[in-house]
Amino acid sequence: MAEAGTGFLEQLKSCIVWSWTYLWTLWFFIMLFLVYILRVPLKINDNLTTVSMFLNTLTPKFYVALTGTSSLISGLILVSTRYTNITLQFNFVIQNRISGFIQINRYLKYYCNLGEIHYCVFLFMTECKVWRNPLNLFRGAEYNRYTWVTGREPLTYYDMNLSAQDHQTFFTCDTDHLRPADAIMQKAWRERNPQARISAAHEALELNECATAYILLAEEEATTIVEAEKLFKQALKAGEGCYRRSQQLQHHGAQYEAQHRRDTNVLVYIKRRLAMCARKLGRTREAVKMMRDLMKEFPLLSMFNIHENLLEALLELQAYADVQAVLAKYDDISLPKSATICYTAALLKARAVSDKFSPEAASRRGLSTAEMNAVEAIHRAVEFNPHVPKYLLEMKSLILPPEHILKRGDSEAIAYAFFHLQHWKRVEGALNLLHCTWEGTFRMIPYPLEKGHLFYPYPICTETADRELLPSFHEVSVYPKKELPFFILFTAGLCSFTAMLALLTHQFPELMGVFAKAFLSTLFAPLNFVMEKVESILPSSLWHQLTRI
C-alpha cells in the first residue's frame, strides 16, 4: 500500500519534469525564430530596427492573449499540484492507516462502513489528542509572575479550558452534592474567573478541611513555591484522611467506588506536586524519594507520567545509572513514547562518546560502534519530535511551557527543552554531537507525512493544535516546511513578468520599443563583437561560403 503514495509522487515528478521541458523547448524555438530573423546580413545592428518595427506592430490584443494564456497555464499547474498533494495525503490515510488502526481497536470497524471521510475525521482527532504536561508549572507562583513582569499571558484559553476539564475529571464525583464543601468546589472548578475560584475555595475551607480547596489555592493563589508547598502539605493531611475513609467503603457500592477513585486521584496529585515543590526548592534527593514511593504505592496510575518527573530529577543528580534503569522499564516498544524518553536515551548514549567526538576525525576514520549507536539514538529522537533540536541548540527562543502538550509537536518540544536544556549543557560535547548529526534524520525520511523510519508517519495536524496550545507571541515551529516547488514559483514569476511587459507596452509603445532596442543591442553586443573578430580573421571568400551554408 505504501507503494501507492510513492507511485503518485513519481507521477507528479514526471508531470513537473515534462512541463519544465516543454517551457524550455518553447523558449528554444523562440530563440531560433529570433536567430532566423537576424541571420542575414551578419551585422546584427542592422536588423535591430527591423525587430523594433516588428514589436511595434503587435497589437494590445496579442499581449492580452499572451498574458491570459500564460496565467491559465500557471493556474492549471498550481491547481493540479495542490489537488495531487491532497489526494496523496487522503489516499495514504485511507490505505496505510486503516488496517493497522483497526487491529489496535476493533471497535473502530464500523467507521469504515460510515465512509472514508468519517474515518479520517476520527483519525485526525486521535492523532491530535493533547496530554497533561507532567512538568507543568504553578499558575500563581510561576505563570502569574511571568504575566506581572512581562504583561503577556503565557497560557491560552484553550489550554486553561483543558485544565479545567482535567480538574473536574480528577477532583469531582457524583456524590459531591452530599458534602457542602465538595459541592462548592465542584462549582469552583467550572468557574472561568480566577478570583471567583479562589473565593469559592476559601468558602469551602470555612465549612470543612477540603483537600481540593487547598489544591486550588496552592495552584492559583500562592505567589511563591514555598507558599504552595505549605498549602499542599495541608491538602495532604486532609486528603489522606478522606482516602482512608473511602478505602474502607469502596466495596459498598458504585458511589463509594467512584468517591474512592476521586480521593485516590487527589492524593496522587498532591504527593506529585509536593515532590515537584521539593525539586524546585533544591531538595532533589527528597523529591526523588517521594516520586519513587509514589510510583510504588500507585503503580497503575500511569496517566500522571510520574516517571518523566523522576527522569528529570535523576538527571539533575547526574545519577545516570538510575536514569538508564528507569528507561529500561519505560522505553519499551509496547509503551507510548515521549520526547523525554527518546531524547534522554539519546543523551545517555551521546554521553559515552561526546567528549571525544570530532566531525573531522569521524569523517576520516569513520564512526565507531559507540558513536554509531549515539547517532542512531539522536536520529530516533529527532524522528519522534523534530522540533526539539532547535531549542536545545538555542536556534529558537524558549517560552514557558503550556499546561498541555501535543506529542511530537512544538508544545512538547518546548516543555522538554525548558527543563532538560541544562542537562544537555552539563554533558560535555553532547550539544556539539547533536548539532553535527540531527539534520541527517531528514535525509533518511524524505516524505515524513507518508512513511516513517522507526515511528508512524508524522501527523499532519500538529501545527493547528500547537497554535491553540501556545500563546500568539510565539512563532510555532512547523514540520515539514510547506514550501512551494521551484517550478510553481518560476511559472508565477514568469507570468507576472509577462503581464507587466504587456501592460507597459500597451501604455507606452514607443518607450518600450526604445527599451527593447537597447536591451537587444546590449544582449547581442558580445555576439556581434565575436562575429566581427571572426570576419576579420577568416578570408572573405570562406566566410561567404559559410554564410551560404
Side-chain angles (χ1 to χ4, degrees), residues 358-508:
S358 172
E360 295 79 10
S363 61
R364 289 195 306 268
R365 57 174 172 78
L367 295 175
S368 63
T369 303
E371 290 174 339
M372 184 64 69
N373 292 336
V375 172
E376 289 177 353
I378 290 176
H379 287 173
R380 170 179 178 260
V382 174
E383 180 185 354
F384 182 83
N385 193 318
H387 308 281
V388 173
K390 289 187 177 181
Y391 294 105
L392 293 180
L393 298 174
E394 299 181 272
M395 300 167 63
K396 280 180 67 71
S397 58
L398 275 173
I399 61 172
L400 294 185
E403 293 184 338
H404 289 80
I405 59 173
L406 178 68
K407 288 192 175 183
R408 307 187 73 177
D410 191 29
S411 52
E412 184 191 33
I414 293 172
Y416 172 80
F418 185 85
F419 293 98
H420 289 261
L421 176 59
Q422 56 180 333
H423 307 315
W424 279 82
K425 288 184 175 181
R426 189 179 294 120
V427 177
E428 182 182 357
L431 290 176
N432 178 47
L433 179 60
L434 178 67
H435 174 72
C436 295
T437 57
W438 74 280
E439 291 182 336
T441 310
F442 307 135
R443 292 190 291 270
M444 298 169 51
I445 315 173
Y447 305 106
L449 298 179
E450 300 176 19
K451 185 178 180 181
H453 181 60
L454 297 175
F455 298 99
Y456 286 110
Y458 191 79
I460 62 176
C461 58
T462 55
E463 179 184 358
T464 304
D466 280 330
R467 291 190 187 280
E468 295 289 337
L469 290 171
L470 298 173
S472 58
F473 58 82
H474 172 71
E475 182 182 355
V476 176
S477 177
V478 180
Y479 174 81
K481 288 288 185 180
K482 298 178 178 61
E483 297 179 353
L484 287 175
F486 172 75
F487 175 71
I488 299 297
L489 297 176
F490 174 79
T491 306
L494 183 62
C495 293
S496 302
F497 181 70
T498 306
M500 183 184 66
L501 285 181
L503 179 63
L504 292 176
T505 305
H506 177 67
Q507 295 292 331
F508 313 102

Side-chain angles (χ1 to χ4, degrees), residues 30 36 39 53 68 225 241 252 284 289 342 344 346 416 436 469 523 528:
I30 292 175
Y36 176 78
R39 71 188 192 284
M53 292 177 59
I225 302 298
H252 291 188
T284 310
K289 183 179 183 305
C342 294
T344 302
Y416 172 80
C436 295
L469 290 171
L523 181 65
N528 187 28

Side-chain angles (χ1 to χ4, degrees), residues 74 113 143 168 254 276 282 292 342 390 397 427 510-511 533:
S74 175
N113 300 325
Y143 287 121
Q168 293 176 47
M276 294 178 68
R292 289 186 184 277
C342 294
K390 289 187 177 181
S397 58
V427 177
E510 296 181 358
L511 182 61
K533 292 296 183 182

